[in-house]
Amino acid sequence: MINVCDIHVMKPLLAEHGFHFSKAKGQNFLIASWVPQRIAEDAGVDPSAGVLEIGPGIGPLTQQLALRAGKVCAVEVDTRLEPILAKTVGEFDNLEILWGDVLQQDIPALVTEKFPGLRPMACANLPYYITSPILTALLEAECFDSVTVMVQKEVAQRIAAKPGSPDYSAFTVFCQFYAEPELLFDVPAGCFLPAPKVTSAVIHLKTRKALPWDIHDRELFFRVVRASFAMRRKKLANGLASGFPELGKAGAAEVIAACGFDANIRGETMSIPQFAAIANQILRRRG
Ligand code: SAM
């Protein structure tokens, strides 16, 4: 197997194919072989796993996944990588490469078609310019056992943040609604070519099998979350009144009181069950 993380292998390989990195496609390739090895190991990839990889690049993580998984499907948008991947991962008969934009894929359909009888997982060194839309699509697909991804460290911290901490955001609530996050390890910028400006981190999201909260209207719940964070340092009452004009200030205060919360409560300190209580209360008022 070609060690694609070895810079003395990678550089001539890229040059041979006249390949130049595309910043627009978020191309920072791994040049430290411990990183893809550890991602595949810590993700728990084994022969029972069907792994969706996003953005194989020249295949460092793809190799480690294909060595361990029952099947790997890798979605790559940059077709210039085709002849390179043929050399670096062409030997794996449990690997299928799909050429296209991952955001255009019907992910649940793809998982059903490609991984029958396998435990679906997603694993990737994500292109950072579309981290949020990709994670949103992977979690909303509700078909993976786990999602293990490398992202910017500050995004990983945001995903795993606790209520009341500065990193806690609407995106935190979204991710923790679907999954339990665990920060795995940091990856310094020097582990990539070209080196990004930021430190990266690998995060493991164990998806929830049954959602442990009683939420009657999911769309309304997420609307409450967005409204609560839209006016970050303000009281929840203000955020609700502005996000739900039909409530007005008085209605927002009534909703908060009916949930038994302090009138001065702020969205950035609230847990998912507390957001759920507010959403359910708004629904109840609608009758
Ligand atoms: N996995 C490789 C590695 O670790 O060295 C490459 C990771 S690089 C950060 C991101 C990869 O995602 C690139 O190969 C890039 O071409 C690909 N990519 C970017 N946008 C994409 C999209 N919308 N759909 C699928 N792949 C995409």
Side-chain angles (χ1 to χ4, degrees), residues 25-30 55-57 60 75-77 101-102 125 129-130:
K25 292 192 175 73
Q27 289 176 343
N28 301 92
F29 291 175
L30 280 165
V75 182
E76 174 57 64
V77 77
D101 179 348
V102 68
N125 169 15
Y129 74 106
I130 44 171

Side-chain angles (χ1 to χ4, degrees), residues 4-5 10 19 22 24-31 36 39 53-62 75-78 80-81 98 100-104 124-130 134 150 192-193:
V4 292
C5 287
M10 182 200 273
F19 182 87
S22 160
K25 292 192 175 73
Q27 289 176 343
N28 301 92
F29 291 175
L30 280 165
I31 52 167
I39 295 175
E53 186 193 2
I54 295 121
I58 61 169
L61 179 58
T62 322
V75 182
E76 174 57 64
V77 77
D78 189 346
R80 295 176 305 154
L81 293 163
L98 305 173
D101 179 348
V102 68
L103 295 175
Q104 301 300 318
N125 169 15
L126 287 180
Y128 293 170
Y129 74 106
I130 44 171
I134 294 179
M150 177 141 57
F192 303 86
L193 189 75

Side-chain angles (χ1 to χ4, degrees), residues 236-241 244 247-257 278 285:
L236 174 67
N238 294 322
L240 285 184
F244 293 85
L247 283 179
K249 279 209 161 175
E254 281 166 23
V255 165
I256 292 166
I278 295 283
R285 276 174 75 94

Side-chain angles (χ1 to χ4, degrees), residues 9-247:
V9 173
M10 182 200 273
K11 279 192 168 169
L13 186 65
L14 296 180
E16 186 190 330
H17 293 88
F19 182 87
H20 295 284
F21 294 102
S22 160
K23 208 173 171 185
K25 292 192 175 73
Q27 289 176 343
N28 301 92
F29 291 175
L30 280 165
I31 52 167
S33 50
W34 66 269
V35 180
Q37 277 170 22
R38 202 161 155 203
I39 295 175
E41 267 162 30
D42 288 6
V45 179
D46 64 21
S48 71
V51 186
L52 175 68
E53 186 193 2
I54 295 121
I58 61 169
L61 179 58
T62 322
Q63 290 178 334
Q64 296 304 320
L65 297 172
L67 284 169
R68 295 168 173 79
K71 175 154 188 195
V72 177
C73 260
V75 182
E76 174 57 64
V77 77
D78 189 346
T79 51
R80 295 176 305 154
L81 293 163
E82 200 165 351
I84 305 181
L85 281 170
K87 282 191 184 154
T88 60
V89 293
E91 71 208 69
F92 293 106
D93 54 15
N94 61 342
L95 168 68
E96 189 176 338
I97 298 176
L98 305 173
W99 296 98
D101 179 348
V102 68
L103 295 175
Q104 301 300 318
Q105 308 290 321
D106 179 341
I107 291 176
L110 190 153
V111 164
T112 306
E113 185 197 330
K114 304 295 182 189
F115 303 136
L118 292 172
R119 192 164 55 94
M121 290 182 172
C123 264
N125 169 15
L126 287 180
Y128 293 170
Y129 74 106
I130 44 171
T131 298
S132 301
I134 294 179
L135 271 177
T136 300
L138 294 176
L139 292 173
E140 280 184 345
E142 292 190 271
C143 59
F144 295 104
D145 248 35
S146 65
V147 173
T148 308
V149 284
M150 177 141 57
V151 295
Q152 291 184 31
K153 186 176 179 179
E154 68 175 54
V155 176
Q157 287 170 327
R158 194 136 49 87
I159 293 170
K162 299 265 183 280
S165 71
D167 292 328
Y168 195 59
S169 67
F171 191 59
T172 310
V173 175
F174 172 83
C175 292
Q176 295 187 12
F177 175 88
Y178 288 105
E180 293 174 276
E182 184 192 352
L183 291 170
L184 293 182
F185 55 93
D186 288 354
V187 181
C191 292
F192 303 86
L193 189 75
K197 289 197 175 66
V198 292
T199 299
S200 300
V202 178
I203 188 161
H204 179 73
L205 292 147
K206 178 90 194 120
T207 57
R208 300 181 190 280
K209 291 300 149 272
L211 298 178
W213 12 79
D214 184 24
I215 293 172
H216 306 317
D217 181 333
R218 205 181 277 195
E219 210 176 300
L220 177 64
F221 166 81
F222 283 117
R223 206 178 135 199
V224 166
V225 173
R226 284 193 299 274
S228 308
F229 283 98
M231 307 178 87
R232 213 181 146 76
R233 308 256 165 252
K234 298 224 168 145
K235 288 188 218 168
L236 174 67
N238 294 322
L240 285 184
S242 132
F244 293 85
E246 68 274 23
L247 283 179

